[in-house]
Amino acid sequence: MMKFMGVAAASGPATLSLNANASVNTHRSLFEETKLGTLTLKNRIIRSAASQYRATVDGDPTEDLMRVHRELAEGGVSLIITGLTYIMPEDQYGNGGTGLYDDSQIEMYKKVVQNAHDHGSKIAVQLAMVGPQSNYRTDRRKVYGASKVPHPIYGTIPNQVMTKEDINFAVDAFANAAVRAQKSGFDAIELHFAHNYLVSQFLFPYYNDRKDEYGGPIENRARFAFEIVEAVRAAVGPEFPIIAKVHGRDYLGSLAGGNTQEENLFVAKGLAERGITALDISGGNKVRGMGEFHPDIQNEKDQSYFADDAKFISDNVDVPLIVTGGNRTPKLMEEILANTKNIQAFGFGRTLLSEPDLANKWKQDPSHRPRCLACNWCIANYGTQKSQCILNASRAYITPGH
C-alpha cells in the first residue's frame, strides 16, 4: 500500500517567478482553442493521465471507465488522457488497470473513443511500462528493470534486468500498442517517460547502474526513450500526435541519483528532434518521497509548481508544452501563458477527480475555487480501490478481490 505522498512545499519547486519576466505573448485565454501539432483542442484544460482501476482483470475497458470519461467530457475538458495503460501482459501493474496489448482489444477501445467524442472531448491513451514500480503479482510476472535496484517505495526488485533483446522487444511493444491506439481512433497517444516508471528509471542514475550503451552518461540513459519515440513515430506516421510525459526537474540532486536540469533538457530536446508533437512537463521523484502529487497547495504561491521548470524547457525547445501539477487558479495560468513561449495547455488530475465539471464551472465563473484540498487521499491506496475523491467516496466504488 502506498503511503500519502506528502512533502513540505519548501522541499519542492521554487515559488513561481514568471511574473518577473517580460511578457512574450498577447493575452491568451484558458478557454480559447489551441493546437498540439495536428490536434485542435477547444480549450487549454486537459485531464492528465490518472489510473482509474476500472478495467477488467485482463485490462479491458468497462462501462464504469467510460462513465468517468463521459463526466469529464460533459464537464468541459478538451482532452482526456487515459490512465496508465500497459502494453504487454507481463507488465500488468494492478487489478483493474487498463491494458492495450492485443489486437482483439481494438474494437473495445473504439467504444471508449466514441464515448468521449460523443460527449464533446478528444481522447488520448497513455502507454507505459511499469517495471518494479508496482508490487502487483511480482511472484508471478516478469519484472523488467534497468538494473537490480529495489524500488524505494514498493521494495520490488527486478527479476529481469533488461538485455538488448528485451529492450528491442519493449520498443516493438510500444510501437505495436501505438498502432492499436491509432486503429482504435484515439486522437493522440502519450508515452509515459516520467514518475519513476520503467523508462524514467533508465533515465535516473539512482535506478540505472548499467555499464552498457544504456547506462552511464545521459546520452546513454536516454537511449531507450529515444528508440521508443523513433519506433512509435515510424509506426504511426509523421502527423499523428505523440505526447511524451517527462520531468522538467527531479528535485533529487545528481549526488543522490537524480538528473540535473540540463540533463532533463537534453532529454526534452532529443525527443523533439525525434518527432514528439508535445511535451507534458511534470517532475519530482519517488526516492526521497517527493512525488508529483504535492499536498496543501491552496495558496497561489504553491500552485502550478512545475511552471518554472516548464518555462526553462519552453525557452529552449520549440514544441508545445503541457504543464501538469497543482494548477488551481485561472488567473495564474493565464499569467503563465502570457509569460512563456510554448506552454499551450494545463493538465489536471486530483481537481478533476473531485469535480469533473471544473472546466464548465471556471468558464462560468473564473473565480471558482476548486474544492480539491490536495489531501492526497485519492492516491493513498492507489491500486487497492477505484480512484475517487474522498468528497465523492462511496462503498460502491471499492473494488473487490485485491
Side-chain angles (χ1 to χ4, degrees):
M1 181 181 297
M2 184 179 283
K3 297 179 181 178
F4 278 36
M5 287 194 280
V7 70
S11 66
T15 302
L16 282 172
S17 60
L18 291 167
N19 290 338
N21 300 315
S23 177
V24 296
N25 288 297
T26 57
H27 177 74
R28 293 192 289 163
S29 168
L30 199 58
F31 288 96
E32 64 188 2
E33 279 192 358
T34 190
K35 292 180 73 69
L36 304 178
T38 59
L39 179 62
T40 300
L41 304 180
K42 65 183 179 182
N43 60 48
R44 301 180 189 274
I45 297 176
I46 293 175
R47 201 296 290 268
S48 59
S51 297
Q52 294 294 309
Y53 295 95
R54 285 178 162 82
T56 69
V57 69
D58 295 319
D60 298 334
T62 63
E63 174 55 37
D64 192 25
L65 178 64
M66 290 193 285
R67 175 191 59 77
V68 172
H69 292 171
R70 279 197 298 275
E71 291 177 356
L72 289 163
E74 291 172 346
V77 168
S78 67
L79 175 67
I80 300 166
I81 304 179
T82 69
L84 193 76
T85 301
Y86 60 94
I87 60 174
M88 56 180 73
E90 57 265 44
D91 194 53
Q92 186 176 13
Y93 61 88
N95 187 13
T98 51
L100 185 52
Y101 55 85
D102 191 87
D103 288 351
S104 65
Q105 297 171 303
I106 292 172
E107 290 303 314
M108 288 180 274
Y109 278 101
K110 284 182 178 179
K111 297 177 182 178
V112 172
V113 171
Q114 193 61 50
N115 171 63
H117 288 174
D118 286 347
H119 294 86
S121 179
K122 303 288 178 66
I123 187 166
V125 61
Q126 186 188 73
L127 305 178
M129 286 189 69
V130 176
Q133 190 154 285
S134 168
N135 56 11
Y136 181 69
R137 295 182 174 178
T138 54
D139 59 334
R140 286 177 280 173
R141 69 178 176 92
K142 187 177 288 187
V143 183
Y144 289 113
S147 304
K148 214 170 186 63
V149 177
H151 193 279
I153 294 175
Y154 296 101
T156 305
I157 301 174
N159 56 33
Q160 178 64 35
V161 174
M162 295 181 77
T163 64
K164 177 60 177 173
E165 290 72 25
D166 292 329
I167 290 170
N168 290 341
F169 179 72
V171 169
D172 288 343
F174 271 104
N176 292 336
V179 170
R180 292 185 196 106
Q182 192 176 38
K183 290 180 177 178
S184 299
F186 281 101
D187 299 291
I189 59 172
E190 179 170 89
L191 301 173
H192 201 345
F193 295 165
H195 300 169
N196 294 189
Y197 290 106
L198 183 64
V199 180
S200 177
Q201 289 191 8
F202 270 77
L203 296 170
F204 263 65
Y206 178 91
Y207 297 99
N208 183 347
D209 61 12
R210 300 173 71 100
K211 307 302 181 187
D212 63 2
E213 68 268 36
Y214 294 91
I218 187 60
E219 292 83 359
N220 286 355
R221 286 182 279 118
R223 193 183 304 274
F224 187 22
F226 291 168
E227 289 178 349
I228 291 167
V229 172
E230 289 170 351
V232 169
R233 175 53 74 202
V236 300
E239 300 298 323
F240 190 74
I242 306 172
I243 305 165
K245 192 160 198 170
V246 297
H247 286 181
R249 209 175 333 179
D250 304 323
Y251 300 95
L252 181 60
S254 57
L255 293 178
N259 289 319
T260 65
Q261 194 172 28
E262 288 70 24
E263 286 175 319
N264 287 320
L265 178 61
F266 173 85
V267 174
K269 285 182 175 179
L271 296 174
E273 291 167 359
R274 289 164 174 82
I276 276 292
T277 306
L279 295 170
D280 187 354
I281 308 301
S282 186
N285 67 80
K286 289 184 172 71
V287 176
R288 287 183 170 171
M290 197 201 114
E292 64 274 17
F293 303 108
H294 295 200
D296 191 21
I297 52 173
Q298 298 308 298
N299 297 322
E300 277 195 21
K301 67 181 180 63
D302 299 320
Q303 296 176 15
S304 300
Y305 40 75
F306 294 130
D308 273 345
D309 301 335
K311 183 182 185 304
F312 177 72
I313 293 175
S314 172
D315 289 343
N316 292 281
V317 183
D318 194 19
V319 296
L321 302 184
I322 303 163
V323 181
T324 297
N327 299 310
R328 293 290 192 279
T329 305
K331 178 176 178 290
L332 177 59
M333 286 181 272
E334 291 186 346
E335 288 176 3
I336 292 168
L337 290 171
N339 285 280
T340 55
K341 178 183 177 185
N342 291 310
I343 292 175
Q344 297 295 339
F346 298 88
F348 301 82
R350 292 167 293 179
T351 45
L352 289 175
L353 193 62
S354 182
E355 295 174 275
D357 60 344
L358 181 59
N360 285 343
K361 289 177 178 176
W362 270 339
K363 190 171 185 179
Q364 295 169 3
D365 177 14
S367 67
H368 171 74
R369 187 183 181 95
R371 67 174 185 163
C372 173
L373 302 175
C375 71
N376 286 350
W377 185 90
C378 57
I379 57 171
N381 298 308
Y382 220 38
T384 64
Q385 64 183 37
K386 296 180 180 182
S387 296
Q388 60 177 321
C389 175
I390 193 171
L391 301 175
N392 302 331
S394 166
R395 289 181 62 83
Y397 283 91
I398 303 301
T399 302
H402 288 276

